[in-house]
Amino acid sequence: MALMPVDEALARILVGAAPRGEPEMLPLNQCFDRVLARDLAALRTHPPFAASAMDGYAVRAADAVDGATLKLQGESAAGHGFDGTLEPGSAIRIFTGAPVPAGADAVIIQEMTERLDDGLVRINEAAIPGRHIRKAGVDFETGRIGLQAGRLLDAGAITFAAAMNHAALPIARRPKVAVLATGDELRLPGESLGPGQIIASNTFGVAALARGAGAEVIDLGIAADRMEALDAALDSAIAQDADVLVTIGGASVGDHDLVQKALVARGMLLDFWKIAMRPGKPLMSGRMGAMQVIGLPGNPASSLVCAHLFLEPLVTRLAGRPDPQRIQKAILANELPENDQRQDYLRGDLQVTDRGLIATPMARQDSSLMKVFSDARCLIIRPPFAPPAKAGSICDVLVLRP
């Protein structure tokens, strides 16, 4: 099978990717950083009445000329409006958010007034009709769409939803991503290691990335290099209704690489499993009914690069979240040689300067090096057959972290 270009592989993985299943209704305090599944219309008008925008006096503009003296008729406070109509030649003490009394058409701020004896108020600035009054419905009206489907719910959106009188919201279901590490040599962090054994570290990074993209993660643990162990893990993924099965390691075709064989034997339709990229060439993609399958390479950098490039966009689409703008332009700090037929993703540092982003490739690029990937702030993208790049030239980078 020929090596597939990265862009084509991603396009094929994303075909038909969209939120699945019915939305779930969640209370407001559980909606942060979730995705609104349906348009949300206001259940009330806001403000529901004409309200004062300032502390001061509600007046008739025709009476409240500069130097006028008005009789204090009453008071209107938030939650305790004035019950009556403003009389000619009078003023009503009013506070921010309070209903504007019937008969009043302006508010004079208190700094432009002077309280006199005998319940009188002197006006030191002529009133302007409508000034300092928030009209009823100036923010939103009952029945109007306030938030649209697909909105990622931040603090502002949740506050707005509450103001529209929604106690619960229709939320897109989180896709279920089952993560399975494979290999006889793997042990969990904290366990003792025997000869030839290593820690299964990739699982935790891949799971964290999936959660960050909006997934509910199912940890399938570690499967030994035996068909029955892989079958049992697959049964678990199916039983838990996983939308995506992510395997780590064992996707190639060596004598001990059984993942692809096990999945195909269970009915997986293999789409592709070799990508023209470095690191991460042995990436597998397939489907078992409604469940998508992504097989990541076992080497840490290869696994995480592929997870960023393919798994994260897939989960983002399945969760209904907006696509992040991950690719940016940067200035190369040093020259790079010409590239071969595989698209390179060089781990690099990234600095913000007054000239723009400066990308510096790490000195070591071995796909087994975990500290290098942890230190990296970006992946410097080198297209297939790219000519030598000079220091100071512009390149594309995938930003990993600030």
Side-chain angles (χ1 to χ4, degrees):
M1 186 178 290
L3 298 182
M4 181 178 293
V6 172
D7 290 345
E8 182 181 346
L10 178 59
R12 287 167 71 156
I13 286 174
L14 295 181
V15 168
R20 300 169 183 171
E22 289 298 312
E24 54 181 335
M25 293 298 297
L26 293 181
L28 284 174
N29 61 6
Q30 295 180 25
C31 291
F32 180 74
D33 204 37
R34 297 293 296 273
V35 176
L36 187 66
R38 301 191 184 104
D39 291 347
L40 201 67
L43 300 179
R44 64 183 290 269
T45 294
H46 180 73
F49 46 77
S52 178
M54 303 290 286
D55 290 346
Y57 294 88
V59 298
R60 297 173 186 267
D63 296 337
V65 298
D66 190 5
T69 300
L70 303 179
K71 178 182 177 181
L72 185 60
Q73 184 180 344
E75 181 179 284
S76 182
H80 304 281
F82 177 78
D83 186 15
T85 301
L86 177 64
E87 298 174 355
S90 299
I92 293 176
R93 180 74 166 113
I94 197 167
F95 299 93
T96 302
V100 175
D105 62 0
V107 169
I108 293 286
I109 62 174
Q110 63 187 27
E111 290 84 354
M112 294 294 106
T113 64
E114 182 181 354
R115 289 288 292 268
L116 304 175
D117 294 335
D118 301 323
L120 299 177
V121 179
R122 176 179 292 134
I123 305 301
N124 295 327
E125 179 184 72
I128 300 174
R131 191 172 190 184
H132 302 311
I133 293 177
R134 300 185 180 115
K135 294 181 180 180
V138 69
D139 195 359
F140 53 85
E141 297 178 336
T142 300
R144 294 288 181 90
I145 300 298
L147 293 170
Q148 293 184 326
R151 172 69 183 264
L152 187 63
L153 295 169
D154 56 10
I158 290 174
T159 300
F160 186 21
M164 290 192 290
N165 206 28
H166 289 275
L169 304 180
I171 299 298
R173 186 177 67 88
R174 280 193 179 112
K176 294 182 179 180
V177 176
V179 181
L180 174 67
T182 67
D184 290 339
E185 75 280 14
L186 298 180
R187 291 294 181 271
L188 290 173
E191 294 183 345
S192 59
L193 300 179
Q197 293 181 334
I198 60 174
I199 295 296
S201 57
N202 300 7
T203 304
F204 299 92
V206 170
L209 189 147
R211 287 191 188 94
E216 173 187 337
V217 173
I218 301 168
D219 184 2
L220 297 179
I222 301 171
D225 291 325
R226 296 191 303 275
M227 294 294 283
E228 58 270 24
L230 294 169
D231 277 340
L234 181 56
D235 287 339
S236 180
I238 294 171
Q240 296 182 72
D241 196 26
D243 297 292
V244 182
L245 170 63
V246 180
T247 63
I248 303 174
S252 192
V253 292
D255 292 342
H256 299 280
D257 296 321
L258 303 180
V259 173
Q260 187 179 137
K261 298 173 186 176
L263 293 172
V264 170
R266 289 290 298 271
M268 182 187 74
L269 298 177
L270 179 64
D271 188 8
F272 59 83
W273 69 277
K274 286 185 178 181
I275 309 296
M277 61 181 288
R278 183 189 299 109
K281 182 180 74 171
L283 177 89
M284 179 181 67
S285 176
R287 183 176 290 275
M288 294 186 65
M291 184 171 68
Q292 286 186 251
V293 179
I294 294 181
L296 300 177
N299 276 345
S302 301
S303 178
L304 289 174
V305 167
C306 288
H308 276 287
L309 291 176
F310 303 107
L311 177 61
E312 185 177 17
L314 173 61
V315 174
T316 296
R317 294 280 183 90
L318 292 175
R321 296 166 73 92
D323 290 332
Q325 301 299 312
R326 304 182 303 162
I327 306 298
Q328 297 188 34
K329 298 293 183 182
I331 302 170
L332 273 176
N334 51 284
E335 63 181 26
L336 293 173
E338 64 181 351
N339 197 20
D340 59 15
Q341 74 275 16
R342 293 162 64 182
Q343 184 151 298
D344 259 348
Y345 292 88
L346 305 175
R347 279 69 74 201
D349 191 20
L350 198 63
Q351 293 181 321
V352 179
T353 72
D354 54 4
R355 296 170 53 205
L357 295 175
I358 305 293
T360 306
M362 300 293 196
R364 298 185 296 169
Q365 294 290 328
D366 190 295
S367 61
S368 68
L369 302 179
M370 289 173 276
K371 184 179 186 305
V372 169
F373 197 99
S374 175
D375 290 342
R377 295 180 181 272
C378 72
L379 299 176
I380 301 170
I381 303 172
R382 293 283 288 152
F385 304 108
K390 295 180 179 180
S393 61
I394 302 300
C395 65
D396 286 334
V397 297
L398 190 156
V399 178
L400 299 175
R401 60 189 180 94

